[in-house]
């Protein structure tokens, strides 16, 4: 391959959220030099990963679990400060302390097989030829917008939870919140005191976790997500199998009726939502707290997807290409899981760079000429009228 204008490097880390920084830490700790042996590329404008985009009223004391990055504790955090500020500041200090030299903002547009054992990483700031890629792009750039009959005729406002900036913009409005995850509950609890009315709808009845959630429960939840990934199916979030935590605020909201859930409606009308049994609810705003999908479109040229729609994984390694590791994906899509995945990915990549990949983890070797595989069945997020998800690959975690 002609490498004119292309920078050769051992490892490219895409994303500088929890997973990307953990991987970069372990690369540096094992003797790899930032900007010489590996490079960290981040699409976001500032440190903090997806946390920097959280709504200002999500204070640190409301955060649903935050595990410290390896090698540096998060101490003396003011629980009343916005989580975006607390965690953004922590990530910035972490990057400085370990000299990780994150490049931002940089958009990774494509990762391709270079044909000579390397991966061609194309970005908004040039091209790299890497021996391995650690993908830590998370999900923030791919909010999932569900589609319903009549959606385009709704006369009110439709937004995704990723666009939520606080309760004041909903004052006096009739709001329908769609979704059964943590963000739906957090945002509904903020909106209810100022809205004219709120309605909560979910596809399945929500499950509230009242007992302790220890190590055994955590391992069981992760195992459920990991099994889907091993089968090549799109991953469910870890939170989706753990249930919603029963905090005092949640208990009170259930008692007051704020969290009285209705089943998912059948269609959207110009003035609200309706069910086939004749029920209807008027609405000024539809807020979709319907989650996110993995931001991996930039990996499409490698044809990593299985017929089931997901990327089949063996540990952190993509089975169809052992040079590609996904951290913060599937079972590692939690702050503690991301830390462990970063360490595991670096351990395997060191073997790969030394020419001794782990024989217990299946996957074609780059030299075999088998990188690629069956067709890429990317699942695209669907946006309501007037919006569309980014076609860029992003590098937030």
């Amino acid at each position: 391959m002609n490498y004119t204008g292309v920078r050769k490097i051992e490892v490219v880390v895409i994303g500088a959220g929890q997973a990307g920084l953990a991987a970069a830490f372990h690369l540096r700790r094992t003797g790899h030099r930032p900007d010489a042996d590996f490079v960290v590329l981040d699409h976001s404008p500032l440190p903090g990963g997806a946390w920097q985009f959280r709504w200002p009223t999500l204070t640190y004391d409301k955060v649903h679990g935050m595990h410290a990055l390896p090698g540096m504790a998060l101490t003396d955090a003011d629980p009343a400060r916005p989580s975006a500020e607390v965690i953004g500041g922590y990530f910035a200090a972490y990057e400085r302390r370990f000299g990780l030299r994150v490049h931002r903002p940089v958009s990774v547009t494509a990762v391709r097989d270079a044909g000579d054992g390397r991966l061609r990483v194309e970005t908004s700031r040039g091209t790299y030829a890497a021996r391995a890629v650690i993908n830590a792009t998370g999900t923030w750039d791919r909010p999932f917008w569900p589609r319903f009959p009549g959606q385009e005729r709704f006369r009110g406002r439709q937004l995704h939870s990723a666009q939520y900036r606080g309760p004041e913009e909903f004052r006096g409005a009739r709001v329908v919140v769609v979704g059964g995850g943590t963000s739906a509950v957090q945002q509904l609890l903020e909106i209810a005191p100022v809205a004219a009315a709120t309605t909560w709808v979910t596809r399945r009845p929500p499950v509230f976790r009242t007992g302790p959630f220890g190590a055994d429960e955590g391992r069981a939840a992760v195992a459920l997500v990991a099994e889907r990934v091993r089968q090549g199916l799109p991953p469910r979030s870890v939170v989706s199998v753990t249930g919603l935590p029963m905090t005092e605020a949640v208990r009170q909201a259930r008692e007051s009726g704020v969290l009285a859930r209705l089943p998912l409606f059948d269609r959207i009308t110009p003035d609200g939502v309706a069910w086939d049994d004749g029920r209807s609810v008027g609405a000024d705003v539809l807020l979709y707290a319907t989650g996110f999908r993995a931001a991996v479109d930039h990996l499409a040229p490698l044809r990593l997807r299985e017929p089931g729609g997901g990327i089949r994984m063996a540990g952190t390694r993509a089975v169809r290409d052992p040079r590609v590791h996904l951290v913060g994906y599937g079972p590692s899509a939690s702050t503690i899981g991301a830390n462990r995945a970063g360490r595991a990915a670096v351990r395997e990549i060191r073997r790969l760079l030394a020419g001794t990949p782990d024989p217990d983890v299946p996957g074609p070797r780059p030299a075999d000429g088998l990188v690629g595989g069956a067709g890429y069945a990317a699942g695209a997020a669907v946006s309501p009228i007037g919006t569309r998800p980014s076609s860029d690959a992003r590098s937030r975690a």
Side-chain angles (χ1 to χ4, degrees):
M1 177 181 177
N2 181 4
Y3 283 110
T4 303
V6 177
R7 182 179 174 192
K8 296 178 73 173
I9 201 157
E10 297 287 89
V11 183
V12 172
V13 179
I14 309 174
Q18 184 100 15
L21 292 183
F25 168 85
H26 288 292
L27 282 169
R28 175 138 203 191
R29 187 178 65 85
T30 52
H32 299 273
R33 299 163 298 165
D35 278 350
D37 302 315
F38 74 93
V39 64
V40 184
L41 309 176
D42 187 30
H43 171 73
S44 298
L46 298 169
W51 289 101
Q52 67 193 273
F53 305 106
R54 303 297 186 190
W55 61 97
T57 49
L58 180 66
T59 50
Y60 186 64
D61 59 336
K62 299 176 185 175
V63 167
H64 182 57
M66 171 64 196
H67 198 273
L69 286 158
M72 180 176 159
L74 172 53
T75 59
D76 302 322
D78 181 354
R81 285 184 67 200
S83 60
E85 295 179 6
V86 172
I87 300 173
Y90 170 55
F91 280 21
Y94 189 87
E95 292 176 15
R96 291 192 300 269
R97 177 169 177 177
F98 295 106
L100 299 180
R101 302 183 186 179
V102 177
H103 296 252
R104 61 168 60 89
V106 179
S107 294
V108 175
T109 53
V111 180
R112 309 178 189 277
D113 180 17
D116 61 354
R118 287 183 177 264
L119 293 164
R120 181 182 175 91
V121 182
E122 299 171 1
T123 86
S124 57
R125 293 195 188 178
T127 301
Y128 295 84
R131 295 179 63 192
V133 164
I134 298 177
N135 190 82
T137 46
T139 62
W140 185 261
D141 285 297
R142 287 201 65 203
F144 175 70
W145 294 83
R147 296 294 289 177
F148 298 98
Q151 192 168 26
E152 69 282 357
R153 295 191 297 273
F154 181 64
R155 287 193 283 257
R157 180 187 179 195
Q158 301 182 61
L159 73 159
H160 192 274
S161 59
Q163 299 167 297
Y164 178 83
R165 302 308 299 162
E168 278 303 313
E169 58 186 316
F170 304 97
R171 183 172 292 279
R174 299 167 300 165
V175 183
V176 174
V177 177
V178 184
T182 303
S183 292
V185 172
Q186 290 173 330
Q187 293 174 5
L188 183 56
L189 265 58
E190 289 191 356
I191 293 168
V194 301
T198 59
T199 303
W200 185 31
V201 298
T202 68
R203 187 176 300 278
R204 291 177 293 273
V207 176
F208 292 92
R209 188 180 73 244
T210 56
F213 191 80
D216 289 342
E217 291 82 5
R219 281 191 290 268
V222 168
L224 290 173
V225 180
E227 181 57 30
R228 286 183 60 86
V229 171
R230 281 193 292 270
Q231 295 175 8
L233 298 173
R236 294 176 64 188
S237 70
V238 175
V239 173
S240 72
V241 296
T242 63
L244 296 163
M246 179 63 78
T247 65
E248 179 60 22
V250 168
R251 185 190 64 77
Q252 293 178 8
R254 294 187 77 191
E255 290 179 354
S256 68
V258 169
L259 292 180
R261 167 260 180 191
L262 293 177
L264 192 63
F265 47 80
D266 295 297
R267 62 190 178 279
I268 297 174
T269 68
D271 301 309
V273 298
W275 290 259
D276 288 344
D277 62 8
R279 287 179 296 173
S280 63
V281 170
D284 305 300
V285 180
L286 303 180
L287 173 58
Y288 300 106
T290 45
F292 300 79
R293 300 293 183 263
V296 292
D297 289 352
H298 54 293
L299 302 179
L302 297 176
R303 301 161 66 90
L304 301 178
R305 297 251 189 198
E306 300 292 330
I311 299 175
R312 188 156 61 98
M313 305 293 297
T316 62
R317 180 191 300 184
V319 168
R320 290 183 180 270
D321 194 325
R323 301 167 296 179
V324 179
H325 288 254
L326 276 67
V327 296
Y329 176 87
S332 64
S334 66
T335 55
I336 188 169
N339 287 353
R340 293 170 176 168
R343 181 175 64 247
V346 169
R347 183 170 60 246
E348 287 198 30
I349 284 172
R350 283 171 57 79
R351 293 192 186 105
L352 179 70
L353 298 181
T356 56
D358 188 345
D360 296 326
V361 182
R365 301 293 183 256
D368 291 340
L370 298 176
V371 172
Y376 184 91
V382 181
S383 303
I385 303 302
T387 67
R388 56 185 295 151
S390 170
S391 60
D392 271 354
R394 304 303 189 192
S395 39
R396 296 182 191 134

